[in-house]
Each structure stands twice: as structure tokens, then as C-alpha cells.
DNA sequence: TTGAAAGCGCTAACAT
DNA sequence: ATGTTAGCGCTTTCAA
């Protein structure tokens, strides 16, 4: 290749990376490049420079729409910045997480974005010790001080949902939750009901983190207290299962029982009843995280150590309504 | 590192890659590895061997549940075989596709799985010329002869949906379709109605490939012919929009209008009404494709040039029912 | 501005 | 079974 243009490979390298080259040399080299269809070998470049223009992304699972929407955003941003996406699913498992992490390190990725607490939480020391920038993403538990976090104010989100239900007159609310993962959402909800109190026995943990799990937990909730007027599900998929449980029990949503979800994944606004849910600024979150990371990559400095908690908003649709008057708490009517 | 164990780096290499080594040497080296926390540099290995243990996957978008479920399957399989996943979204755009392809080639990925016709179809020659195995995945158009294809018999799938509706007595069916992409599904449906014919004017193209698009197209269909008794949507998301359109128009599903979808994405079995749809063997498809590719990688041979069309099945739920008797075609009652 | 030399960390091939 | 040599294709450094 170099010989073809009558120059050294160094000059070719200069041309490819846009360094100062005499116009006539430039032309000569570009001609040879075109003729030979020369493509620089990025692996060799990576070996030499130690950087790969590749960013790793950990998610618990891509099948979960919340995460797949995140993957979409992150991929688009990375491509826009000239980076590649190496995707790995942690399956909420510390061992998978660890294996992926070692792999990424050995491959010299430029940065890593890790979403979801489970599995990742056990590898925090190793993540913090990585020799490339790492940020936590959609982190729900107590944020570690060692790593930057870009996430959502989950507790506030739960609070929003709670206020909504309380304002509608609901006093007998059950929670269908993926626990312990979603504890902050439940705490927030509980805060909204502080004065009236929310019975611990009204919190139903799901045995599986899907619609079937939400269905089962909601059935249990309805069995335990046929008088309840609202169900808060800690994410939309569980809410879909909960709605099914309510309807199957012969009750109506929202006339008899209101259901509120969490995430605002695509399509839940179009099913019947359209789901009332807490909406996250997903795009902004992805943007902040990616920029935090790439700024660190570009500067060669460790990433700014922040905890950035984006504020969610409530999206009221058709699945929530006023509590049944015959079940209002005394003095509220 | 090598010095620490008192051997050459070659011996270390042999230990790491599990070659024949004398037990005592093995122990010595392993001790040094543990002490120094030595990790082989995979980039250097890749430069030397020309292979990266990385497989590229192209999908139009990860936000679409059909593709994200595929990504999940493929990732799991690849990890199981010791490979990494480099994910790229084509956005149905030939330019993105091309850019990603050149990038992957420069990075020496070991193989590429390309899903979705749009954008990819324009880069077929370049894909076929790649110096690593490439397979087409979830390919709906006419399969090219130059590349192996692992896909679904989309036309048969449409046929299944059509037979179902015809058997239920439906004669006045509208189609809500993402065209031209989903033409084979429509052709299959039409074949089921061959005798009775399916009017071209009953096919409504969606202007956007989401629930809003399905909603709009279904509204148009209902306006054009208030007497229709069934709508076939070429995928589930469109079907969700179509159901909304039917319900908003004051009709009931399935009593007045049946709706049948396509894909069986997660959750459509749990919404109300639970969607009747055509189910794909996604896992099998992912398995076949990944194995086809990895077999080629392992053997160093080009992949077997097959067209493997998996057979879908019909999943009947609540969104389809008998045609209204007052709208049955004459002689069918 | 361009050339020459060195080396990133690994493995293939051959010699011992 | 282990050591030696060479080189993958690039970029960094220094010399011309």
C-alpha cells in the first residue's frame, strides 16, 4: 500500500488521520487508497493507541422494553459520536457481570455504562477499579460514592404516583412490586400516604418480574382485601398483569379499582385502558450518561463524580380515577 | 510477566491457551499470573490471529420489541459460545448499514447477522463480498442467492391468519400494513381468500410503523367500509393501534370487528382483548442463525448457503371471533 | 513535510 | 516441552 503511492506507511497514516501533508502527496496517496481499496486495520490501531472507539453497555435484559428503549437511545448517541456499542446482558447475575467486565477490560473498551442494580451491585469495587471510565445508569439503590450515577429520582416517582392516588380519594391501596429492587418506588408511594399510613401487609412482592408475576400478586392483593380501590404496580409490565387480574375478578378499571404503572414504555398509552403511569425522561438520561462518559474519554480524566437524578413526571390516562365513593375513608367524602 | 515466572512469554501464551505444558511449569506460571493479576490483551491477540470473538448484529431498531427479543436471544447464544455482541441499528437506512458494515470489517469481526430487509437490501453486494461469514435474518423479501437466510415463512404466516378469519366466516376483511415491507404477509392472507378475492382497495398502508400508524390506517379502513368484520394488521403494534381505532369508533372487539396481529411480542397475550396473532419460533430462528454462522467461523469455510424458513403457528386469543351473522356473505350463513 | 526505526502484546513456526 | 525469532498493521519518536 505504502509502496504503491511511493511513500512510507507513515505518510499514509498521516493522510488517513488528516495530519498535515503536502497537497500533491495527499493526492498521490488518496489515489493509491482508492485503487487498492485500502482500509486501515482498526485492531492494529487499537493495539497501538490502547483505545477502541467502543463503549460497553450492561443491561439486565434486552427483552424488557424499559432497557431496550435505553439501548436504542444509547446506541444512537454513541454512533453519533463515532463509537461502537458492545452490548452485554447481566441477567441480574454477579457472575455474568464479572465475566463481561473482565472481557471488556481485556478488550480495552473506552468506557462502560452499567444499567440496573442487580448483579452490578456486587461488582462495584471491580467497576470502580476499572482502567476506563464507568458510569452507573438507571440505578435505583443507594448510589455508591465511588462511581458517577445518572438515574431517576425513583422515590420521587413513587411519591408522584402516590399523590395522584391520594388526591383521587384512594385510601385503600395495594402495591404490586418487584422487591427488593423497587423498594425506593414503594418508599416514595408510602411517603405520599404518610398521614394515613400504608399498611405493610398491602405490599405484595411478585414472584416473577413479568406480567404473570403482576397478575398473581394482584390476585393475591384482591383476595386479601376485596375492598381495595387502587393498585400501584412498580412497573408497567406488572401493571398490565394487574389490570388483567382486576378485570378477571369481575371488577372494572378504573371504576372499581384504579391501576397506576411505572416507566411509560411504548404502547401502554394505547392499550385499553390506557395506562396511567410515571414517565421518565429516558432520552435525557441516556444523553447525560453518554456525554459524561465520552467527556471523560476525550479528556483522559476520570468522569465527573456526580449523582444526577432526573425528575420523572406523571402521565394520567384512563386506568386511574376517583375512588369509589362507597369505599372512601370516613371524613374524606 | 514472563520473567516473573522465569519462562518466556511463549510459555505463558501456552498456559493461557491451554496447550501442553509440564505440570511444574504450569504451576509456576499460574502462580505468577495470580500474583501479578495478569490478563492477556485480547486486542493484541486479535491483531495476531485476525479474529476477535466478536459477532456483529444489525437490526433496524432495538425499540421494536420484535427485534429486541431477537437481540436478547442472539446475545444469550453468543455469550454461551464465548462470543461478544457488537450491536448496530440500521434504522432501515442503506447509509447507516454501509457505514456499520465498513466499521465491522475494519474491526475484523468474526461474523455478521443482519436482520430486516430495509437498508440491508441495498448493501447486499457488499455484504456478500465481506471477508467474514454473513447471514440474513428475519428476511422478508425475495431471498438473495448470494447469502444464507434464516427466516420465517412470512407468506405462510399470512395464510394462517387468513384461514383463521375465513373459517370464522369473515368475508369483508381490511388489511392494515406496513408496506412495502410486509407484502409477503399480505400475499399469504390474500391466498387464503383466493376464492372470494380480497379487494386491493381493502389494503391500507400505514404512514408510520407504530401504534399511531395502525390507528390511523384502521380508522381509514373503517371509514371506507363501515361494514367490515375483521382487520388483519401486519404486526402486533399496528394491531394495538387498530384495536384502539375499532373501540373508539364505538364497535367492539371481537363482537363487531375481529383483529388479528403478527409477531406475538411479549405482553400482547395479556392486554385486553388478548390479541390473536401469528407466533414465530424466535428462539429456534436465533439458534439456527447463530449456529450457522459460528459453524462457518469454526471451520473457516463460508457458511452453508441455505434458505431456512421456519414455520409460524397461529395463536388464537380473544381479539378474533365469528363474523357478525348479519354481515356474513350470502350462502355462508 | 517526510522517512526510518521501534514497539504495542500477542502467537505461529521453527529450533532446541 | 520450552526458547528463539519474526511479524500482525499501526502510531510514536526522532532524524533528515
Amino acid at each position: 500500500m505504502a509502496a504503491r503511492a511511493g511513500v512510507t506507511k507513515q505518510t499514509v497514516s498521516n493522510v488517513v488521520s488528516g495530519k498535515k501533508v503536502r497537497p500533491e502527496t495527499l493526492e498521490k496517496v488518496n489515489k493509491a487508497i482508492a485503487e487498492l481499496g485500502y482500509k486501515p486495520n482498526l485492531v492494529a490501531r487499537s493495539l497501538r493507541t490502547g483505545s477502541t472507539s467502543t463503549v460497553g453497555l450492561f443491561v439486565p435484559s434486552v427483552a424488557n422494553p424499559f432497557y431496550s428503549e435505553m439501548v436504542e437511545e444509547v446506541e444512537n448517541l454513541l454512533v453519533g459520536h463515532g463509537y461502537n456499542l458492545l452490548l452485554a446482558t447481566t441477567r441480574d447475575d454477579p457472575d455474568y457481570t464479572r465475566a463481561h467486565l473482565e472481557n471488556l477490560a481485556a478488550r480495552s473498551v473506552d468506557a462502560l455504562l452499567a444499567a440496573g442494580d442487580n448483579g452490578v451491585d456486587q461488582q462495584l469495587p471491580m467497576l470502580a477499579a476499572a482502567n476506563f471510565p464507568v458510569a452507573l445508569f438507571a440505578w435505583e439503590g443507594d448510589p455508591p460514592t465511588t462511581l458517577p450515577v445518572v438515574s431517576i429520582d425513583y422515590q420521587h416517582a413513587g411519591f408522584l404516583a402516590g399523590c395522584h392516588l391520594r388526591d383521587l380519594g384512594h385510601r385503600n391501596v395495594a402495591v404490586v412490586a418487584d422487591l427488593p429492587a423497587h423498594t425506593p418506588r414503594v418508599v416514595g408511594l408510602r411517603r405520599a400516604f404518610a398521614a394515613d399510613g400504608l399498611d405493610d401487609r398491602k405490599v405484595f412482592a411478585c414472584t416473577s418480574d413479568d406480567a404473570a408475576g403482576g397478575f398473581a400478586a394482584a390476585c393475591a392483593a384482591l383476595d386479601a382485601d376485596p375492598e381495595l380501590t387502587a393498585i400501584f404496580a412498580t412497573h408497567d409490565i406488572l401493571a398490565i398483569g394487574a389490570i388483567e387480574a382486576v378485570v378477571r375478578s369481575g371488577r372494572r378499571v378504573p371504576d372499581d379499582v384504579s391501576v397506576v404503572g411505572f416507566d411509560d414504555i411504548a404502547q401502554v398509552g394505547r392499550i385499553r385502558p390506557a395506562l396511567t403511569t410515571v414517565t421518565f425522561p429516558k432520552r435525557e438520561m441516556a444523553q447525560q450518561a453518554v456525554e459524561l462518559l465520552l467527556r471523560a474519554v476525550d479528556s483522559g480524566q476520570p468522569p465527573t463524580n456526580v449523582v444526577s437524578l432526573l425528575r420523572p413526571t406523571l402521565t394520567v390516562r384512563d386506568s386511574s380515577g376517583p375512588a369509589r365513593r362507597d369505599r372512601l375513608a370516613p371524613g374524606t367524602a
Side-chain angles (χ1 to χ4, degrees), chain A:
Chain A
M1 162 65 215
R4 171 60 164 266
V7 296
T8 56
K9 52 181 177 173
Q10 178 49 29
T11 307
V12 175
S13 174
N14 287 339
V15 169
V16 168
S17 48
K19 296 234 179 77
K20 279 247 165 288
V21 172
R22 223 190 319 158
E24 53 197 88
T25 321
L26 180 74
E27 195 181 340
K28 232 177 12 183
V29 174
N30 275 333
K31 183 153 159 279
I33 286 180
E35 281 174 14
L36 301 180
Y38 168 79
K39 293 277 157 39
N41 180 324
L42 265 26
V43 177
R45 177 182 291 171
S46 292
L47 174 59
R48 185 65 242 232
T49 62
S51 85
T52 50
S53 299
T54 299
V55 172
L57 175 60
F58 285 178
V59 290
S61 143
V62 199
N64 181 325
F66 173 72
Y67 290 112
S68 68
E69 290 172 19
M70 286 301 176
V71 172
E72 175 84 6
E73 297 289 347
V74 169
E75 196 267 355
N76 287 345
L77 290 166
L78 287 180
V79 169
H81 289 272
Y83 284 82
N84 292 101
L85 172 65
L86 209 46
L87 183 71
T89 62
T90 63
R91 308 173 197 189
D92 290 325
D93 180 332
D95 297 331
Y96 274 105
T97 306
R98 188 199 163 99
H100 283 136
L101 179 57
E102 291 185 343
N103 189 253
L104 292 198
R107 302 203 111 79
S108 324
V109 294
D110 290 346
L112 169 63
L113 204 47
D117 309 46
N118 292 336
V120 174
D121 51 6
Q122 317 234 3
Q123 304 297 351
L124 249 19
M126 192 170 282
L127 283 164
N131 59 353
F132 45 83
V134 177
L136 262 23
F137 191 53
W139 185 263
E140 183 148 359
D142 275 338
T145 56
T146 47
L147 287 168
V149 176
V150 177
S151 188
I152 285 152
D153 190 337
Y154 285 102
Q155 197 176 315
H156 182 66
F159 183 71
L160 286 179
C163 290
H164 173 63
L165 289 173
R166 202 203 47 204
D167 292 349
L168 286 169
H170 294 277
R171 290 298 177 276
N172 190 358
V173 177
V175 175
V176 163
D178 176 25
L179 292 175
H182 292 166
T183 305
R185 312 178 188 198
V186 179
V187 170
L189 184 87
R190 186 168 260 149
R191 201 152 51 78
F193 284 98
D196 315 276
L198 176 69
D199 194 333
D200 273 347
R201 288 164 306 181
K202 291 266 182 249
V203 178
F204 293 81
C206 298
T207 47
S208 70
D209 187 29
D210 52 18
F215 176 80
C219 286
L222 289 164
D223 274 355
D225 183 355
E227 300 292 301
L228 61 84
T229 65
I231 296 177
F232 171 63
T234 59
H235 66 70
D236 289 346
I237 311 279
L238 300 177
I240 288 173
I243 288 177
E244 194 187 358
V246 172
V247 174
R248 286 250 190 115
S249 77
R251 297 170 173 88
R252 287 160 305 163
V253 179
D255 312 70
D256 300 312
V257 178
S258 289
V259 176
V260 174
F262 216 96
D263 277 1
D264 198 15
I265 59 176
Q267 277 86 49
V268 292
R270 322 218 50 129
I271 61 174
R272 326 229 101 229
L275 193 63
T276 292
T277 191
V278 183
T279 305
F280 301 146
K282 293 177 204 193
R283 174 156 297 151
E284 287 72 15
M285 190 164 108
Q287 234 156 31
Q288 275 206 16
V290 168
E291 258 147 39
L292 176 82
L293 238 25
L294 295 190
R295 216 179 311 128
V297 172
D298 289 344
S299 70
Q301 303 292 117
T304 345
N305 192 356
V306 287
V307 178
S308 178
L309 257 31
L310 302 193
R311 284 281 162 67
T313 53
L314 185 74
T315 301
V316 178
R317 299 204 184 93
D318 308 332
S319 70
S320 62
R324 281 181 60 136
R325 294 189 59 92
D326 56 342
R327 288 181 191 162
L328 285 182
T332 317

